[in-house]
Amino acid sequence: MNPNLKRWLLLIGLPLVYALGMWLLFDLNPFQHVAQVMSVGFLFGVPFGIGYLTIFFSPIHLVKKRGYRAMAPWLPIIAFLFVTTLLGLEGFACWIMIMPVFMVFSTIGGLVAAQHKLRRREKQDRLRVSVVVLLPLLLVPLEQLIPDTATRYQADTHIDIHAPAKIIW
C-alpha cells in the first residue's frame, strides 16, 4: 500500500472510527439516562478528541505548519458528517447547526496536540491520548452535577384593536 495513502487513512480513519464509536456509545439505550449525543461531553469532547488524534498521528513536518494544525482536524469531521448522514444516523439539518461547534473544538484539539507534539515528551504521550480519548466520558459525570432548571413558562399574546365592536364583529 502507498505510504501516503496509509498515512491519510490513519489520519482520517482513526479519528472517524473514534467519533463513530463515541456516537454509538452515547446513543446506546443503557446509557441514554446518563449521557446522550446532545450532551456537553459529546458535543465538545468528541470534536476535541478528533482534532487531537488527527494532529497526534500527523508527521511532525506537517504539524509545524500553522494552517495544517488548524484545518487538518476538519477532514475527519467532514468524513463523520458524510458517514452519519449516509447511514441515516444524523440528519443534515443537525449537522448544519452543530458543524461550527465541531470545527472550532476540533481545531482547539488539534492546536493542543500540536503544542504537545512540538514539545515532544513521549513518556506523557500515552497518558495524554488516553485522557483525551476518554474526555467525553469524563465530562458526563460533571454534566450530571449541573442541576436541571425545569421551569414552566407561559407566553401570552394580546392584540389591542382600537375600533368599536360593531366594526370588528
Side-chain angles (χ1 to χ4, degrees), residues 21-167:
M22 281 295 173
W23 188 92
L24 288 172
L25 185 64
F26 273 78
D27 198 53
L28 287 175
N29 284 334
F31 293 108
Q32 284 188 348
H33 68 282
V34 178
Q36 296 177 349
V37 172
M38 292 302 294
S39 68
V40 171
F42 185 85
L43 295 176
F44 301 115
V46 170
F48 183 88
I50 290 170
Y52 195 97
L53 288 172
T54 303
I55 299 302
F56 180 80
F57 288 108
S58 294
I60 194 75
H61 72 278
L62 291 175
V63 175
K64 290 180 181 179
K65 298 177 183 179
R66 289 183 184 164
Y68 181 85
R69 287 181 234 168
M71 291 188 285
W74 296 357
L75 295 173
I77 295 290
I78 293 168
F80 187 43
L81 174 150
F82 282 120
V83 169
T84 55
T85 303
L86 288 174
L87 294 177
L89 302 176
E90 290 295 336
F92 195 69
C94 295
W95 270 110
I96 289 172
M97 290 185 288
I98 202 61
M99 188 58 105
V101 173
F102 266 53
M103 292 179 103
V104 167
F105 278 88
S106 68
T107 296
I108 292 170
L111 295 174
V112 170
Q115 184 181 16
H116 293 160
K117 189 164 184 145
L118 293 173
R119 280 195 267 150
R120 210 59 199 154
R121 295 188 180 129
E122 292 181 20
K123 290 181 181 179
Q124 298 173 350
D125 284 350
R126 287 185 187 166
L127 177 62
R128 285 185 182 137
V129 170
S130 300
V131 169
V132 168
V133 165
L134 295 175
L135 181 64
L137 301 174
L138 298 173
L139 290 175
V140 170
L142 297 175
E143 188 176 349
Q144 297 298 318
L145 295 175
I146 300 170
D148 288 338
T149 55
T151 306
R152 185 174 180 184
Y153 295 97
Q154 181 176 339
D156 295 320
T157 304
H158 298 279
I159 300 174
D160 294 326
I161 301 173
H162 301 289
K166 285 183 177 181
I167 294 173

